[in-house]
Amino acid sequence: MITTATIRQMKQEGKPITMLTAYDCAMARMEDEAGVDMILVGDSVGNVMLGYSSTIPVTMDEMIHHTKAVCRGVSNALVVGDMPFMSYQANEDEGLRNAGRFLKETGCTAVKLEGGASVCKLVERMVLAGIPVVGHIGLTPQSVNQFGGFKVQGKDLAAAKKLIQEAKELERAGAFAIVLECVPAALASKVSKELVIPTIGIGAGKGCDGQVLVCNDMLGMNSGFTPKFVKKYRDLHSEIIGAVKEYINDVQGRSFPSQEHTFKIEEGIIEQLYPTNKKEIV
Ligand code: KIV
């Protein structure tokens, strides 16, 4: 069973940390069986599974529902629940209570929240309350409206300094890992070296201590836009469409179900149920 101590240890030993998102029990079970170290129930559930155009509409109740399902499928990986937009921004007490809900109601081990200096006080309180926290800086999708789109962060001197500062402050506040999203590789690599806790990169190059991808992206389950940083390991979109088309053809052509997918009944039973007229006369 992977714990926060295992994750810290992996950084010390220079072992790359693997993390993937999952949103349901079936996918989480497969990722766990494959041996992924951490599973993030991301608020990307909004775009990936629920059909929203961003992560903004995702609610605490939706996150709790999906995180519970993921936890049911996992026996080894460390599960992290993602705090959705406005579950912690309005006030710290509410943030703390919502983080507590993840641990109490779902069985996950840790929570993730977006932001740097602005969330450090809350991170401190969560850690004091016994809630392990993953930070998330760089491109933070809940602030996409403020960024004016999905853009690489930390590109100029001031922004790069701010990112390093925020990473250090999150570490000081007690986060046990930090997601770095869409950050130039050279900067992410420096940040990773400056921290004792591991960085988990997404679009942040190979100098991070671990990597995270959205499972549907890496499995090629979407036909639309794919960000530059995603490596598609399979093309499940085509595979699934192909399989569904074959099924439709088989049903329409009456070649499915065949004998091997069909149950038999003992001889004579149907005849007894529906005796022919001739037998009835006899
Ligand atoms: O919600 C999510 O999937 C995330 C990852 C992109 C890190 O926050």
Side-chain angles (χ1 to χ4, degrees), residues 86-99:
M86 289 318 290
S87 67
Y88 59 96
Q89 286 92 341
N91 71 67
E92 279 170 19
D93 288 347
E94 195 179 20
L96 188 57
R97 257 184 232 111
N98 281 328

Side-chain angles (χ1 to χ4, degrees), residues 21 23 40 42-44 82 112 114 136 179 181 202 212 214:
T21 66
Y23 313 101
L40 170 67
D43 62 351
S44 51
D82 207 2
K112 174 174 86 56
E114 297 183 4
H136 182 167
V179 169
E181 180 164 354
I202 175 161
V212 57
V214 167

Side-chain angles (χ1 to χ4, degrees), residues 56 85 139-149 151 153 162:
I56 304 289
F85 182 58
L139 174 59
T140 44
Q142 291 174 16
S143 307
V144 65
N145 294 323
Q146 210 161 28
F147 293 139
K151 295 174 184 157
Q153 301 295 305
K162 187 168 172 236

Side-chain angles (χ1 to χ4, degrees), residues 18-179:
T18 56
M19 187 192 223
L20 279 175
T21 66
Y23 313 101
D24 62 33
C25 180
M27 183 62 77
R29 191 172 279 143
M30 287 188 272
E31 291 179 9
D32 195 51
E33 191 182 323
V36 77
D37 300 309
M38 295 172 82
I39 295 182
L40 170 67
V41 190
D43 62 351
S44 51
V45 68
N47 333 42
V48 176
M49 304 296 283
L50 302 178
Y52 300 143
S53 60
S54 76
T55 60
I56 304 289
V58 177
T59 65
M60 262 310 287
D61 287 344
E62 284 167 338
M63 288 307 305
I64 294 284
H65 175 78
H66 286 273
T67 309
K68 270 183 175 173
V70 164
C71 288
R72 282 183 215 118
V74 172
S75 55
N76 188 52
L78 188 153
V79 179
V80 181
D82 207 2
M83 307 258 325
F85 182 58
M86 289 318 290
S87 67
Y88 59 96
Q89 286 92 341
N91 71 67
E92 279 170 19
D93 288 347
E94 195 179 20
L96 188 57
R97 257 184 232 111
N98 281 328
R101 275 192 73 191
F102 270 104
L103 267 65
K104 281 173 80 87
E105 295 177 35
T106 73
C108 75
T109 298
V111 300
K112 174 174 86 56
L113 78 174
E114 297 183 4
S118 62
V119 298
C120 280
K121 192 85 205 80
L122 175 57
V123 172
E124 266 175 37
R125 288 186 63 188
M126 288 173 172
V127 174
L128 269 177
I131 302 169
V133 178
V134 176
H136 182 167
I137 53 176
L139 174 59
T140 44
Q142 291 174 16
S143 307
V144 65
N145 294 323
Q146 210 161 28
F147 293 139
F150 292 91
K151 295 174 184 157
V152 177
Q153 301 295 305
K155 282 175 90 172
D156 61 38
L157 185 60
K161 275 186 182 166
K162 187 168 172 236
L163 191 99
I164 296 170
Q165 190 58 29
E166 290 194 316
K168 286 182 176 171
E169 284 176 30
L170 281 168
E171 176 170 80
R172 216 173 296 128
F176 77 94
I178 301 179
V179 169

